[in-house]
Amino acid sequence: MARIVGMDVLDVRFPTSRELDGSDAMNPDPDYSAAYVVLRTDDGPDGYGLAFTIGRGNEVQAAGIHALEHLVVGRSIPDTAAELAALSAALVGDSQLRWLGPEKGVAHMAIGAVVNAAWDLAARRAGRPLWSFLAEMSPEEIVGLVDFRYLTDALTETEALDILRAAEPGRAERAAHLRAAGYRAYSTSAGWLGYSDEKLVRLAKQAVADGFDMIKLKVGASIEDDVRRMRLAREAVGDEIRIAVDANQRWDVGPAVEWMRALAPYDPYWIEEPTSPDDVLGHRAVADAVRPIRVATGEHVANRVIFKQLLQAGAIDVLQLDAARVGGVNENVAILLLAAKFGVPVCPHAGGVGLCELVRHLSMFDYVAVSGTDEDRAIEWVDHLHEHFTDPAVVRGGRYLAPTEPGFSARIRDESLARYAFPDGPEWRNGLL
Ligand SMILES: [Mg+2]
């Protein structure tokens, strides 16, 4: 029987702060980083996963992944839905590590990296891109992936099965549509807070010329600056293009409402992360005050339980799951099912390093096998760092192309791993710190 015989964990950091790429109101100088995991096998391909961080502390994230080694190395390779569910349950259920969460933060993100690497491995061995590997599973297999503990007051196994069975007709047509036409993207590349007005206007116009019908601006540092930047962006793209804004948790409820009232004349499509990602009732208060502007959040939502509460409370209009924040594919399947139950569209968080590569698989799975629709849905697109991946995300005409290579697309090129290794890779050793 083929086994996982080793687990490598690498600290890889890209010096994105030098150009203020990725700068926002809470994160002025990010160095996009990956705590990167390789599951080594004794037969066939290896599996690849990552946790995304923004620089300092990436070594802590890597240590969190190392702490899971005893649960992974020596295990037979999980190939089936049931085996992948068992691996996820074993990682989430380690009682000593659970104390560090439970199911949140560094420890949980470490589980996500390993679970995603196991899914990458299984999909590679099946010769399928992850989205279609998942979307070809039966409703019973998919429900079996999910840990329903803490969910059943909002979503039962029976309801999840009903959702998946309702989406079974048309799976093949939707998969064919994805292969032909891809999945809608929106662009964040224009709107980083550290960019000049001139760069903002130029990149906003470029996004529309490239086929995007939605862009996003970072806000939250200065209300006067944000009103000016929003006005410039609206003038640059016209009335037909959606402009979302993202405060990256900068505000209390009061300032969030005040800010959005100031921006409202320029028709913002959603306000993302207006306040603390843990503050379910705060999101609800903002939503009540600013609708019809939508409230969106998710990239820092720790687990399926907080998503459940956000949905139960009617606190979000758009759910932004993240491939590398929660406990991996299994928990994201739960979150997609919750969103479908509550009829809230999922527009995943992406960008960073590797997040576009990963999350496109989850949206495409959702379209084929869960929600069965792409209405009011789009995946974030940030055009940075894709060249470091062996199966990079590709967007053409404002749409993500459907991945065709086997796996979950987290594999980083060997030469990039060597060059950006922290702190000893040449990119960091050569006096550029
Ligand atoms: Mg965001």
Side-chain angles (χ1 to χ4, degrees):
M1 193 189 307
R3 292 191 177 276
I4 297 169
V5 295
M7 189 171 92
D8 300 341
V9 187
L10 287 77
D11 182 341
V12 188
R13 306 188 192 188
F14 299 90
T16 43
S17 61
R18 291 176 199 158
E19 302 294 329
L20 296 179
D21 301 334
S23 53
D24 63 51
M26 289 295 263
N27 309 293
D29 59 347
D31 283 328
Y32 283 174
S33 303
Y36 183 69
V37 57
V38 184
L39 301 180
R40 300 263 176 226
T41 68
D42 59 3
D43 177 36
D46 295 331
Y48 305 87
L50 59 85
F52 167 64
T53 81
I54 65 167
R56 286 184 292 280
N58 201 49
E59 73 277 16
V60 179
Q61 186 61 67
I65 297 172
H66 266 303
L68 297 165
E69 197 169 347
H70 68 290
L71 296 164
V72 178
V73 175
R75 207 179 174 91
S76 62
I77 296 175
D79 280 319
T80 65
E83 290 162 349
L84 287 155
L87 173 65
S88 170
L91 295 172
V92 172
D94 183 290
S95 63
Q96 295 187 5
L97 291 171
R98 188 177 185 279
W99 197 265
L100 302 178
E103 298 187 58
K104 61 175 73 72
V106 170
H108 202 44
M109 289 166 69
I111 290 170
V114 173
V115 167
N116 284 345
W119 277 94
D120 176 70
L121 178 55
R124 283 176 192 275
R125 288 165 63 85
R128 314 288 297 161
L130 180 97
W131 68 271
S132 82
F133 179 63
L134 257 178
E136 286 166 12
M137 289 181 174
S138 69
E140 291 77 11
E141 286 175 312
I142 294 168
V143 164
L145 298 172
V146 172
D147 179 358
F148 281 90
R149 183 187 292 182
Y150 313 134
L151 297 188
T152 53
D153 54 324
L155 176 74
T156 65
E157 285 192 49
T158 307
E159 289 172 319
L161 261 182
D162 289 346
I163 289 167
L164 293 162
R165 285 182 181 146
E168 266 193 304
R171 275 189 184 190
E173 289 78 4
R174 289 190 294 274
H177 176 72
L178 284 178
R179 290 188 179 99
Y183 195 102
R184 190 160 158 258
Y186 75 86
S187 174
T188 305
S189 293
W192 301 113
L193 211 55
Y195 285 180
S196 68
D197 287 356
E198 179 278 325
K199 191 169 183 178
L200 164 73
V201 167
R202 175 166 50 84
L203 293 177
K205 287 181 174 169
Q206 186 62 50
V208 176
D210 289 342
F212 293 96
D213 59 9
M214 174 168 165
I215 63 171
K216 189 165 81 185
L217 306 185
K218 297 294 183 176
V219 296
S222 150
I223 197 164
E224 293 78 19
D225 286 350
D226 288 344
V227 169
R228 185 188 75 255
R229 294 170 71 253
M230 184 76 189
R231 177 175 53 76
L232 289 169
R234 179 54 75 201
E235 288 168 2
V237 302
D239 291 339
E240 301 302 314
I241 301 295
R242 291 173 175 173
I243 305 178
V245 297
D246 182 356
N248 291 87
Q249 314 160 23
R250 182 64 185 249
W251 303 317
D252 283 25
V253 170
V257 173
E258 178 195 355
W259 223 280
M260 293 317 296
R261 288 193 173 138
L263 294 176
Y266 308 101
D267 192 22
Y269 183 65
W270 76 48
I271 172 60
E272 175 172 328
E273 291 201 296
T275 191
S276 164
D278 295 344
D279 190 353
V280 173
L281 299 181
H283 277 82
R284 170 65 194 264
V286 174
D288 284 345
V290 306
R291 282 186 181 122
I293 300 169
R294 294 159 180 78
V295 168
T297 199
E299 67 188 79
H300 271 85
V301 169
N303 56 47
R304 68 198 181 288
V305 184
I306 305 293
F307 276 119
K308 180 193 75 169
Q309 287 195 39
L310 287 162
L311 292 164
Q312 286 173 313
I316 54 171
D317 308 287
V318 176
L319 188 152
Q320 299 179 294
L321 64 73
D322 181 294
R325 168 69 55 186
V326 300
V329 169
N330 298 67
E331 190 165 21
N332 269 320
V333 171
I335 292 162
L336 289 170
L337 285 163
L338 281 166
K341 162 81 189 281
F342 285 87
V344 169
V346 174
C347 297
H349 172 241
V353 58
L355 300 181
C356 299
E357 278 66 26
L358 289 162
V359 86
R360 56 189 171 151
H361 291 275
L362 299 175
S363 278
M364 291 182 190
F365 161 68
D366 175 62
Y367 172 61
V368 175
V370 185
S371 72
T373 178
D374 57 2
E375 196 179 332
D376 284 333
R377 287 153 171 86
I379 309 169
E380 184 164 23
W381 170 247
V382 186
D383 196 5
H384 292 145
L385 305 178
H386 303 292
E387 64 276 18
H388 301 298
F389 287 82
T390 61
D391 181 23
V394 179
V395 166
R396 290 220 187 97
R399 297 181 75 84
Y400 273 82
L401 303 191
T404 57
E405 304 240 331
F408 198 8
S409 310
R411 186 175 185 182
I412 296 177
R413 294 180 182 283
D414 291 342
E415 53 270 32
S416 298
L417 292 175
R419 181 173 169 192
Y420 294 97
F422 187 88
D424 295 325
E427 192 72 25
W428 294 104
R429 244 184 332 170
N430 292 348
L432 292 168
L433 272 173

